[in-house]
Amino acid sequence: MAASPLTFLLALELALALIGALWMRLAGYVFFPAPRPWHDTLYFLAGYAALLLLERLTERLAPAAYRELDRLMHGIGRMLKDAGVGHNAAMLLALASAVGEELFFRGALLNALAQGLGTPAALALQALVFALGHPAPGRAGRLYAVWAFAAGLIFGALYLLSGSLVPGILAHFLYNAKGFAEIFEEPGPASR
């Protein structure tokens, strides 16, 4: 029996979260420093604004590839909707991907790479690995790889500048949730 797309994606994000958390624990990396609500909120808002700016720049600089990427993302959304994934489950997936990917790519990988390569190289390399973990086909895939690399730089910078995974997790979640909401609020064929 094949797993549903939602089950597969949630399991993948849970695996990233567990591997990242275990790696961080064994290496002695700090998960979350003492709560700093204002500090983390400012970094979260700056990170989310940077992601929105990146999206607008991508749309302006490569409009044809951006439209192709948008069609691809909506196709993935339709596939999830056709598989019975509802709005609430999509929001759970947005949260799981934010937590799993930030724990693994920023909390574990970025810290480990920084110890061996220094911060600038580690920032770039973790963003490259993050981009490779977000494959897509064709011209849209090339654009998405560049976009994911830039987003990885933003998330990495948030972590390095704030000293906490919280701003990156929040920005990552809100950006993913926005994308899912846009897809799931799209009217179906019966209502058009």
Side-chain angles (χ1 to χ4, degrees):
M1 178 183 210
S4 75
L6 178 65
T7 303
F8 172 77
L9 292 171
L10 285 173
L12 179 65
E13 297 302 343
L14 178 61
L16 280 176
L18 291 174
I19 292 167
L22 182 61
W23 187 350
M24 288 181 72
R25 175 78 173 163
L26 292 174
Y29 304 144
V30 175
F31 281 86
F32 303 104
R36 299 171 293 182
W38 288 108
H39 175 269
D40 288 346
T41 300
L42 290 175
Y43 276 104
F44 147 64
L45 292 173
Y48 185 67
L51 291 168
L52 294 177
L53 178 61
L54 176 61
E55 183 178 329
R56 293 299 161 243
L57 285 172
T58 305
E59 185 176 16
R60 279 186 112 43
L61 296 174
Y66 182 84
R67 284 189 300 274
E68 186 179 324
L69 179 59
D70 193 51
R71 283 191 298 276
L72 175 68
M73 292 299 156
H74 279 80
I76 293 169
R78 279 190 300 280
M79 177 196 70
L80 289 171
K81 285 168 76 171
D82 291 347
V85 175
H87 189 272
N88 291 342
M91 293 303 112
L92 176 63
L93 180 57
L95 179 60
S97 65
V99 171
E101 292 173 10
E102 292 308 309
L103 279 169
F104 181 82
F105 291 106
R106 266 56 74 178
L109 184 62
L110 178 57
N111 273 313
L113 291 170
Q115 288 181 338
L117 302 173
T119 302
L123 180 62
L125 192 52
Q126 68 79 32
L128 177 62
V129 175
F130 181 70
L132 292 173
H134 290 78
R139 182 172 54 174
R142 290 188 296 278
L143 178 64
Y144 192 49
V146 171
W147 188 92
F149 177 79
L153 291 175
I154 291 169
F155 292 131
L158 277 177
Y159 176 65
L160 292 171
L161 293 170
S162 72
S164 174
L165 289 170
V166 172
I169 288 171
L170 293 174
H172 201 147
F173 166 68
L174 188 58
Y175 190 80
N176 286 351
K178 177 185 89 62
F180 280 128
E182 289 170 356
I183 291 168
F184 279 79
E185 289 173 5
E186 190 174 86
S191 60
R192 286 187 196 161

